[in-house]
Amino acid sequence: MADEGEFDAAQSGASQTYPQQCSALRKNGHVMLKNHPCKIVEMSTSKTGKHGHAKVHLVGIDIFTGKKYEDVCPSTHNMNVPNVNRKDYQLIDIADSYMSLMDDTGDTREDLKVPDGDVGAEILSRFDNGDSFNVTILKACDTELAIAVKTVTEK
């Protein structure tokens, strides 16, 4: 057997999404709508029709772009739910619009840009003032974005 030991390479770590029955989804939870990771802002369920399935109408806001997406799904079907992670990093430096960030174990990373919009403006102004603060990074579906700024409280 010549092809023993030959496997397609797989990504390490967990899958980007997991299935969940549509009727088990909840408002303020997350779901994939039209291949975008979204936070559910509205949900409504229609009555069972003559073909036997109640339908769930979902409205979600993309967690990275803020765009609104809608979908309708039978309540018994599965929807993909993104694995969403949130982590705080301390901002060390900004160089060429890339943030130098350190996590609580002391590991650093310099691969994230200062985001556009209000959060990016707040990061830049606090950095220019010499403030000490944390940046909250949201990660889902191979995308990472700074979504919040928190003042560091000295212990």
Side-chain angles (χ1 to χ4, degrees):
M1 296 208 197
D3 50 75
E4 257 184 72
E6 287 182 32
F7 295 100
D8 289 334
Q11 295 293 320
S12 66
S15 167
Q16 294 178 357
T17 62
Y18 60 93
Q20 187 171 7
Q21 191 165 325
C22 201
S23 59
L25 297 171
R26 296 288 172 254
K27 191 173 174 181
N28 293 328
H30 295 96
V31 68
M32 295 295 288
L33 295 176
K34 312 236 186 298
N35 289 327
H36 295 274
C38 295
K39 183 173 184 172
I40 301 168
V41 293
E42 279 179 51
M43 267 185 88
S44 58
T45 307
S46 67
K47 288 200 164 65
T48 306
K50 71 176 180 187
H51 296 293
H53 286 291
K55 297 248 190 310
V56 178
H57 178 244
L58 295 164
V59 179
I61 304 288
D62 188 307
I63 58 177
F64 297 118
T65 65
K67 277 185 74 175
K68 189 181 205 179
Y69 293 96
E70 295 186 48
D71 204 357
V72 176
C73 169
S75 63
T76 55
H77 285 205
N78 282 345
M79 297 281 289
N80 283 329
V81 177
N83 285 313
V84 178
N85 294 325
R86 204 180 249 270
K87 190 169 181 183
D88 287 342
Y89 292 88
Q90 184 172 354
L91 183 77
I92 302 168
D93 192 17
I94 296 177
D96 296 330
S97 75
Y98 280 90
M99 297 179 287
S100 181
L101 301 165
M102 181 173 67
D103 67 11
D104 49 11
T105 62
D107 294 332
T108 59
R109 57 183 299 184
E110 297 171 349
D111 59 339
L112 289 174
K113 277 193 158 194
V114 175
D116 297 330
D118 295 343
V119 175
E122 186 176 354
I123 290 171
L124 291 171
S125 73
R126 283 190 177 201
F127 179 73
D128 291 340
N129 290 341
D131 296 351
S132 180
F133 62 95
N134 285 348
V135 178
T136 303
I137 304 297
L138 193 68
K139 178 180 182 180
C141 301
D142 286 337
T143 304
E144 292 182 283
L145 184 68
I147 57 155
V149 178
K150 291 182 191 164
T151 303
V152 176
T153 52
E154 296 298 323
K155 292 180 182 170

